[in-house]
Amino acid sequence: IKLLVPGKKAVVPSDAPQTLASEAGLVPGAKVLLLATKAQEVEVVRGARDQPGLASFEHELRRAAMRRGRQRPGQGVTGPPKGQWTFQAYEAWQRPGLYPPPPEALKLLHRLASEPGIMSVMEHHNWQVGLLSEMPPEGKVGISPV
């Protein structure tokens, strides 16, 4: 059982059974919200085990702290990723009037290749890909003239 009194800390009578109502912030005419759970339901929750594959709250808090302490994936990428299981070459289209311009497109290709998901899949399968290149911005590959 918990008693919630506006402007006061929650009162749990079982924590301090000798506490007087006036000491807990209860005064005549005060509005109080009573929260209670059946003993059987409390025991079910206490006896429950974590589900396999479900991250605990502590694990999620640690992951969130790690994310706050580092850059987002892909931010600050200055070149292609290093390592054995990655792309061997990068190619941006070299045609006038393209947007983004070729140097920016090359940075985007490096950023994509540095994404943790892409890097982990390539490492998991021991893949080395010869070329990461832009695709035509419009039309159908192999059908439309380039």
Side-chain angles (χ1 to χ4, degrees):
I1 294 177
K2 281 187 184 179
L3 301 174
L4 300 180
V5 182
K8 304 285 183 187
K9 216 173 158 183
V11 178
V12 181
S14 62
D15 287 350
Q18 68 280 4
T19 304
L20 299 175
S22 59
E23 293 172 355
L26 298 173
V27 294
K31 293 186 178 185
V32 178
L33 178 63
L34 171 71
L35 299 176
T37 306
K38 293 179 184 177
Q40 183 182 18
E41 292 173 351
V42 171
E43 292 306 315
V44 168
V45 170
R46 285 185 179 154
R49 301 224 188 281
D50 289 336
Q51 294 177 357
L54 184 64
S56 66
F57 288 117
E58 292 80 17
H59 178 73
E60 288 298 325
L61 290 172
R62 283 194 305 273
R63 288 184 62 204
M66 285 177 22
R67 283 192 300 268
R68 283 191 302 269
R70 67 178 169 153
Q71 292 181 342
R72 292 177 58 200
Q75 273 188 328
V77 174
T78 57
K82 306 289 187 252
Q84 181 178 8
W85 312 115
T86 186
F87 299 92
Q88 306 304 307
Y90 302 84
E91 184 179 282
W93 281 27
Q94 302 293 327
R95 296 202 168 89
L98 292 177
Y99 184 80
E104 293 299 315
L106 192 58
K107 286 181 187 177
L108 177 61
L109 293 174
H110 290 161
R111 196 172 87 213
L112 289 171
S114 299
E115 285 289 320
I118 292 174
M119 293 177 68
S120 67
V121 167
M122 292 184 71
E123 183 177 346
H124 178 77
H125 294 286
N126 295 338
W127 286 344
Q128 290 182 345
V129 177
L131 176 67
L132 177 61
S133 178
E134 288 185 277
M135 292 180 68
E138 57 188 43
K140 296 182 179 178
V141 176
I143 298 174
S144 301
V146 179

